[in-house]
Amino acid sequence: MSPIGVGAIAFVCVFGGALVGMYLRSRLPDHHLAQESRDAIKLATAIIGTLSALALGLLIASAKRTFDDASADRRTSAARIVLLDRVLAQYGQETAELRAKLKAIVQVRLKAEQDDAGGDHPFSEGLEIEAAQERLRNLMPQSESQRALQQRALQLSGDLAEARWVRAESEVGGFPTPFLAVLIMWFTLLFASFGLLAPGNGTVVATLFICALSVSAAMVLIIDMDHPHLGFIRVSDVPFRWAIERIGQP
């Protein structure tokens, strides 16, 4: 499910829980909301609030690590692309077509990300790099120097192909659905207790609405950050733009 879909479900559940709590407040007998009952409810919801905060912190840490890893991988891939181009340039004029193909692969990838159509692109891009590897293997080195450059180019292209398949695999994953469901349930119970204990006036309703919207928006941003190549929050494309400017230079 998309981050916005998860956020919408979270908002409906959390704010709905607050409204249910306010409804129960008006229906329960007075002794159910006596001071002793309020203290017990506050203690129980304090445990749920602590667990929710810890779980949300784990989500933030996991998403931040995924985003940082993707940023580092992008910088490393851009550096490998430029280095591969330099190795091909040192090999000789036989690799001119391969250098042009390398630049085209990077340009297509950038365009796909800008058009927000990069869902299946890592798969096709990985195949294109493997096709370039086949051309590298078909080169006929005329000296030991060219043979060493060919081996170095194959190593770099292999690293790039591996990075593409790893990226495609990582975009399939995400936070486990049961974990998100339990977290939403905890927030729902927490807001239900707020509605149960708070007076049912417009200020309270508006405050609970804004808080529920904020919690849902936070979950959307965290889940979106866990997919750094898709959605709103993406890794920067500056490294690849830098690589394009340098590919093909003599």
Side-chain angles (χ1 to χ4, degrees):
M1 185 178 294
S2 68
I4 294 179
V6 175
I9 293 174
F11 175 76
V12 171
C13 292
V14 173
F15 187 62
L19 295 179
V20 169
M22 298 179 72
Y23 173 80
L24 292 177
R25 174 187 172 86
S26 63
R27 295 294 187 272
L28 290 175
D30 292 340
H31 68 274
H32 281 249
L33 296 177
Q35 187 60 44
E36 293 81 2
S37 300
R38 288 174 173 267
D39 292 340
I41 293 173
K42 289 178 180 178
L43 288 175
T45 54
I47 297 175
I48 295 178
T50 302
L51 291 174
S52 301
L54 290 174
L56 199 60
L58 289 175
L59 287 181
I60 295 173
S62 176
K64 182 65 166 57
R65 182 173 61 253
T66 300
F67 191 86
D68 289 343
D69 290 345
S71 297
D73 175 71
R74 174 156 293 195
R75 291 192 296 268
T76 301
S77 295
R80 285 173 176 166
I81 289 171
V82 174
L83 182 56
L84 176 58
D85 178 71
R86 299 314 306 157
V87 170
L88 294 176
Q90 295 174 33
Y91 186 94
Q93 292 297 325
E94 303 95 316
T95 60
E97 184 179 350
L98 274 173
R99 297 178 68 191
K101 180 64 176 178
L102 182 64
K103 187 171 185 176
I105 291 174
V106 181
Q107 290 174 332
V108 169
R109 175 173 177 178
L110 282 176
K111 186 178 185 304
E113 292 183 354
Q114 291 171 356
D115 295 340
D116 200 19
D120 295 329
H121 191 63
F123 181 81
S124 59
E125 185 182 345
L127 293 179
E128 289 178 355
I129 293 177
E130 290 180 359
Q133 282 185 295
E134 185 64 26
R135 294 186 182 182
L136 282 172
R137 282 188 284 266
N138 291 333
L139 291 175
M140 302 296 293
Q142 302 299 319
S143 64
E144 287 298 325
S145 176
Q146 284 190 332
R147 185 171 292 105
L149 290 170
Q150 182 189 34
Q151 293 301 317
R152 179 58 173 158
L154 286 171
Q155 178 187 352
L156 289 170
S157 61
D159 292 339
L160 288 171
E162 180 181 0
R164 297 301 177 270
W165 293 121
V166 170
R167 175 192 161 197
E169 180 68 23
S170 64
E171 289 181 356
V172 176
F175 297 123
T177 300
F179 186 88
L180 294 175
V182 171
L183 181 60
I184 292 174
M185 182 188 68
W186 285 345
F187 278 119
T188 301
L189 293 175
L190 194 61
F191 273 71
S193 69
F194 294 160
L196 185 64
L197 300 178
N201 55 55
T203 301
V204 172
V205 173
T207 301
L208 292 177
F209 177 86
I210 294 173
C211 291
L213 187 62
S214 300
V215 169
S216 304
M219 292 188 66
V220 170
L221 293 178
I222 293 170
I223 296 173
D224 188 74
M225 185 181 291
D226 193 54
H227 297 79
H229 300 288
L230 305 170
F232 305 107
I233 305 176
R234 301 184 184 184
V235 293
S236 174
D237 60 0
V238 171
F240 282 155
R241 294 186 180 278
W242 171 82
I244 289 176
E245 293 176 357
R246 284 157 179 78
I247 294 176
Q249 294 183 1

